[in-house]
Amino acid sequence: MESGASPVEAFLDSLQSKQAQKVVWVLQLIEELDVIPVQYFKKLVNTDELWEVRVQAGGSIFRILGFLDGDHLIILNHAFQKKTQKTPKKEIKVAEMRKRDYLKRRQSNE
């Protein structure tokens, strides 16, 4: 974010220790595996090229949304606890807005 805040980091800080450990484990899997199972990482349809990191820790389900910047860099820009079957549109809108903001700032710094 332009303010320098990291919404995903703040979200992780709000989790219980075991929940945060599971999220970090899934993020490491995504970083290290050549082929990532869709149970952990999936492209969201009908969005502005957003991807979803999928984490289940006990009875809680968490999602971290982001997008690809180039071939190898994933920008994670929004996280939330999922309470419904579908990813809520308002959560997608937040991630899309943050993506546009990131790309605008990156372009002005080139």
Side-chain angles (χ1 to χ4, degrees):
M1 292 182 71
E2 194 169 1
S3 65
S6 171
V8 174
E9 186 176 349
F11 177 79
L12 288 174
D13 288 345
S14 76
L15 297 178
Q16 297 171 6
S17 177
K18 283 189 183 275
Q19 293 171 328
Q21 287 174 354
K22 180 73 181 268
V23 171
V24 169
W25 181 81
V26 170
L27 292 174
Q28 286 175 325
L29 258 180
I30 291 168
E31 185 178 351
E32 294 170 5
L33 293 178
D34 291 330
V35 178
I36 305 159
V38 296
Q39 77 185 74
Y40 298 119
F41 191 60
K42 176 182 159 189
K43 187 172 185 182
L44 291 175
V45 296
N46 300 322
T47 67
D48 183 17
E49 299 293 310
L50 292 181
W51 289 76
E52 175 179 70
V53 176
R54 304 158 62 102
V55 181
Q56 185 163 347
S60 299
I61 299 171
F62 304 105
R63 296 293 187 254
I64 305 172
L65 303 182
F67 58 95
L68 300 176
D69 185 4
D71 291 335
H72 302 289
L73 182 63
I74 300 169
I75 306 297
L76 300 174
N77 66 6
H78 186 52
F80 58 96
Q81 183 168 355
K82 191 170 176 187
K83 298 179 187 211
T84 62
Q85 192 66 23
K86 293 180 82 172
T87 301
K89 290 210 180 297
K90 71 174 188 143
E91 306 293 357
I92 291 170
K93 296 288 182 210
V94 169
E96 288 175 334
M97 179 194 67
R98 289 179 179 162
K99 176 184 177 182
R100 287 190 299 275
D101 178 63
Y102 168 86
L103 293 173
K104 186 174 77 176
R105 286 183 290 116
R106 192 189 74 183
Q107 186 176 28
S108 66
N109 288 333
E110 290 180 353

